[in-house]
Amino acid sequence: MMHSGQGQALGAVTPRSIPEAYMRAEVASFPLTSEKAFHEGLITLEPELGFRKDGQQTADLWRECEQRLSEHASGWSLDRLVALRDEFWFARSSEDRGRRGLHRVPMARYLRALAEAHLERRPGVTDIARSTNVDAVDALTHYRWLVFAMPEDLLLSAVREEPPPLRVNIDPPLLIRQLLDQGVAEIHHHIGAGMDFPLLWAALLSAVGSPALEYAMLRGPGIPFDNGALFLRWLLAAAVARCVLAEFLLRGGNKSLPEFVQELMGGSAWSLQRRRVLARTLKALASGAAGRLPDLEPLRGLYADLHPLSVQNEAEPPLSIEEVWRRCDPIAVRLRLKSPNGGERWLVRHGLARLYAAASAQATPEDDGFARLFWQVMRIRCLTYRSLVQRPMTAGLLWFIRFSGRLHLARGPLRAVRAEVSYDVAGGDQPIAALEARTGSKESAALLAEELWALTYSWRRVLEKTRGGDNAGRPPEFGVVVLLKKQRDPSHAWEHGRPLAYGMETYAEPHPAHLPRLGGRFADYFVEQSAHVRSLVDVLRTVPHMPWLVRGLDVAADELSVPTWVLAPLYRAVRRGAACAAVTSGARAAPPLRMTAHVGEDFRHLLEGLRRIYECTQYLLDRTGGRLGHAIALGLDPQQWAESVGAVMMPAEDRLWDLVFEWRLYSQYRMPPELRAEAPPSRTPKVENDIQDLSELVFGRAFPPAALAEAHHVLHQLWCWPLGREDRDLGLDTFTRALRRLRWHEVHHAPLVHHLLQHYREDEAVFRRGQHLVDIALDTSEVQALRAVQNGLRRCVSARGIVVEVNPSSNLLIGNLLDLRNHPILRLFPPQAEEGAPPPVPIAVGADDPVTFSTYLLREYSLLYEAAMGAGYPERDVHAWLNRIRQTSMDARFTTPWRPDALKMADDLLKALETYLWKPFQRAR
C-alpha cells in the first residue's frame, strides 16, 4: 500500500478494474459457453464473418460476445477484444501450413487449440503451458480464470495425447509433500458442495431422470435460458443425446448419425410415441430451438427408458464413490466403466476422434449431424457448469447463495457418500489429517439424527479405505459443524431475484402490512432457528458419544440479513446444552463444543464488516477463542478499498450502528481492554454529530452517543450477567421477556435505553425511517478512521488467539478481489514481519465450497504460494509462512481423534443413532 513519503510495500499490488485473465477466458470460451452459440448450433468458426452461413453465425456470435463483454470491459478497446478473439477462435495450426489465407475452424480444432494453448501435451499428469513472455504466476492465473469459465476435464480430454492427461500439475510438489507429510486439516468445508464438477455432473445425469426433481429448484437470476423449467428440459435432452451419441460411436460404423438414428428407431421395441419424442428431442437439440423441444414428462419418460437406474438411484442411492461413477452416468452403465469420470471422458475422447477423422477425410454435410449434436451436448454441460460454479464479477453473498442453492439439483444420488466424497476431494485424492464437515441444522431432532447417521456411515468407508492412516499410522479425524442459516425473508424473494423495496416483508420488518407478525423484529426468524437449536441440543444430550461427532456451531449464508444480537441467545443455548451433554456418562469426556461464524465477508461499507466482526468476537465467541469465517474486512487495505468503491450508499440505521461502534472504540465504552483505537484528528466530534443526526432521522429525536452505545451493548447482552438473566425458553416472546427481566439498575441511561430498544424492535415507523438511504463519502477522514478501527480490531483478535479461516478462491469471487496478490491474508499474516504493522492474525486455510469455487484444499495452499511469490516474497519465506498456516490450521481444528479405535467409535455412533431413531438401517459392517 502507498503511504505518504513511502514507496509501495512488499505484497501490495495495485488493483486492476477488470483482470485481463477474466477477459481472455470469457472471449476464449464463448463459442462453447454462451447461449448464443447454443441457439446457433455452431460447428465451425468462420474468419470471413458474414460471407457464408457459418460466417453469418460467427458474426452474430461475435456481436453477442462484444456486447456481453462491453459491460465489464472497462479500459479495453475493441482492438484488444478482437485480438483476443482472433487468437483463440481462429488461431492457425500446423494443419494450415502451406495454405493461403485463413480457413474455417471446426469446433474440434478450436477446442484442441484452446487446450494446448494452456496445457502441455503429456499423458496422465500435465503442466500449464508457458510461453517465453509469460511468467509462472500469469500462466497459472490465465488457466485458473479459464477453468472458472468452462470445465477443466473438457480441456484435458482435448489434449492430443494417449492416454490423455487426467489432471494438471499446478501444485508445487515440495509444498504438497510438506503438507501431506506433516498433516493438513480441512477446517472450512461445506459438505453439500464438497464434490468436484465431474462427480456432480455424473450425479446430475441420474437425478434429472427422477420424478422427484422439480424445476422449482432452478429459480432466480443467472439460470441458463432464464427459465428453470426450460433449462431442465434442455438438460434432459442433452442426457438423451449422450446415450444416442455413445451408441452411435459404439456401433454406427460408416453410417451418418441420421441414418443410424432411423435404424435405431426402426428396430426398436419402443412405442411410436417414444420414437416421436426421440426424433423431436434430437432435432430440437441440434438446432437449439426451444419450440421443438418436447415437454418435461415425455422427455423424462424417454430418458427413463434409456437409463432405468436413474429412478432406482433416487430410492436406493449409491453407497460409495465407485458406485456413483458406475451407476449414475448411463454411458458408464452401458460400457461397465468404473473409473472416475469414465463415461464423460470416453464420450469426449471418442467423439473428438471421430470429428478429427471426419475433418481429415473432408466429410460430407450429411455427417454434420454428429458434430452438431455432440457440440450442443458439450454446450449444455458448459452452461450447467457456469450455473453452478460461481461466476467472476458476481461479488457478494446473495450471488453465492444463488449458485450454491442450485446444487440441490444433483445431491440426491450423492446423499449417502458425502463424507467420502468430501475427504477425497479435499486432499485431491491424497490423505489429509482431518476433515470438518459443515452441514445445515434441521427443524427436528430426528432429521438431524438421520443426517448425522448418513455422514457417519459414509465416513466409516473412509476409515476402512485408510486403515493404515497417515505417515504416523493415525486414522483421519472427522467432525461435523452444524450450521445455522441466515435468511433475508420467509418467501426467499431476495434469493429468487424479487426483493421488495426498502426491506419490506423481510424478517427485519416489525409489522409487515400483509403478514401477521408478533414479537417485533426478527421474531419469526428467531422462532424458526430456535427449533433448529432445540433439535441440536436434544441430539447432543440424548444420543451417547454425540459430542465426539458434532464438534462445532457456525452461522452462514446471507450475512447482512440478520444482526448479531438475534444470534446471541441461540449460541448461548447451544453452548449450554453442549456443556451439559459433555458431562453425561455416554459422552466419554468429550472436549467442549467449539464456536465459529461467517462474518466480515459481505458488507456495504468496510466499517460495517468490522463492526460485525467485533460483535461476533465479543458476543458470540464469548472470549473462548474460536474462529472467524472469512473476515476479509480485517485485511483489506482501507485506502485501496475506498479507491475501488468511490462512495457508499446504505440504510441509515446500519450507518448509525457503525458509527456507534466506532465511537465506543474511541471512548472505550464497555470495550474489552485489549480492544482500543486512537481516533484520528477531528474524527470524534464528526462521529458524535453524525450519530445525533442519524438518530434523529431514524428514531425521530436525537440521542446522545453514550445512550446509543449502551443500547447497542445491552441488546447483545440480554441473557448475560450482570445485565440480564439466563432464560432457557426460546420462543416468540424471548426478547420481550428478556427486556422485562433485565437488571435495569445495572444499565446506564436506563430510560433512554429502554425507549431505544423498545422502539427499535417494535416500531414500524422507526424501521421504515431506518431504511432511508444515506450517501457516505469515502474521504480522508473516513479512510483514516477505517485504518484506526481495523488496526485496533486486528490487535484484539490477535491477542485473543482467534483464528481467521481463509478461503482464497471463495474470497477472490465473493470478495471481488480480482487478483489473489491482493488477498487480505498478505496483510493479516504477511510472510515477512512488517515494521509498525499491527500484530499478525492467526490464519487457517480451507476450501469452503469446492465445486462452487472449482477448487480443493491443497489447491488453496498452492494458490497462496503463487500469490505470495507473485507479490515478491522469497520462496524460502513463503514455504515457512505456509507451514505456519498449516500448523495453525491443525492446532485450531475442531475435530479430535476417536480413541482408542476410530472404526469402533464410528460403529458406536451409528448404533446410538439407530437406537435414538427407532429405525432399523440396513448396513454391511
Side-chain angles (χ1 to χ4, degrees), residues 369-389:
F370 174 82
R372 202 171 301 280
L373 203 60
F374 177 84
W375 291 115
Q376 294 292 76
V377 169
M378 294 301 110
R379 289 185 178 107
I380 289 294
R381 189 171 189 261
C382 287
L383 287 167
T384 302
Y385 179 83
R386 290 165 69 92
S387 72
L388 300 175
V389 173

Side-chain angles (χ1 to χ4, degrees), residues 244-253 255-257 260 354 370:
V244 173
L245 289 172
E247 203 64 28
F248 174 66
L249 290 169
L250 282 170
R251 55 191 185 94
K255 302 183 185 71
S256 68
L257 181 65
F260 176 78
R354 185 176 182 95
F370 174 82

Side-chain angles (χ1 to χ4, degrees), residues 462-632:
V462 175
L463 294 175
E464 288 176 337
K465 292 196 304 185
T466 59
R467 279 183 183 273
D470 59 15
N471 291 336
R474 297 167 300 199
E477 298 172 6
F478 181 65
V480 175
V481 177
V482 176
L483 194 70
L484 301 177
K485 182 181 179 182
K486 289 187 177 183
Q487 291 178 305
R488 188 86 55 153
D489 62 292
S491 62
H492 306 284
W494 282 69
E495 292 180 25
H496 299 153
R498 297 179 287 101
L500 276 67
Y502 295 105
M504 292 170 56
E505 297 189 10
T506 61
Y507 285 117
E509 189 175 12
H511 302 290
H514 307 295
L515 294 173
R517 180 170 294 168
L518 302 174
R521 290 194 191 208
F522 298 101
D524 290 351
Y525 172 83
F526 184 80
V527 169
E528 291 173 11
Q529 297 305 307
S530 296
H532 290 227
V533 163
R534 280 191 290 267
S535 300
L536 173 58
V537 170
D538 183 66
V539 169
L540 284 171
R541 300 183 66 171
T542 309
V543 182
H545 327 310
M546 246 336 88
W548 289 91
L549 175 63
V550 178
R551 295 299 311 125
L553 178 69
D554 192 4
V555 63
D558 186 359
E559 181 180 344
L560 298 180
S561 63
V562 179
T564 309
W565 61 266
V566 180
L567 302 169
L570 301 174
Y571 266 63
R572 289 185 63 81
V574 173
R575 185 181 288 112
R576 179 180 178 82
C580 294
V583 298
T584 61
S585 58
R588 298 181 184 176
L593 193 76
R594 307 291 298 280
M595 301 291 170
T596 182
H598 286 57
V599 68
E601 179 184 13
D602 194 13
F603 42 83
R604 290 155 291 205
H605 193 295
L606 184 56
L607 185 59
E608 181 178 35
L610 294 170
R611 169 174 63 86
R612 287 176 179 267
I613 291 173
Y614 160 73
E615 292 169 349
C616 178
T617 58
Q618 184 68 12
Y619 301 118
L620 293 190
L621 301 188
D622 198 26
R623 299 180 184 241
T624 59
R627 302 196 310 242
L628 299 173
H630 303 285
I632 65 172

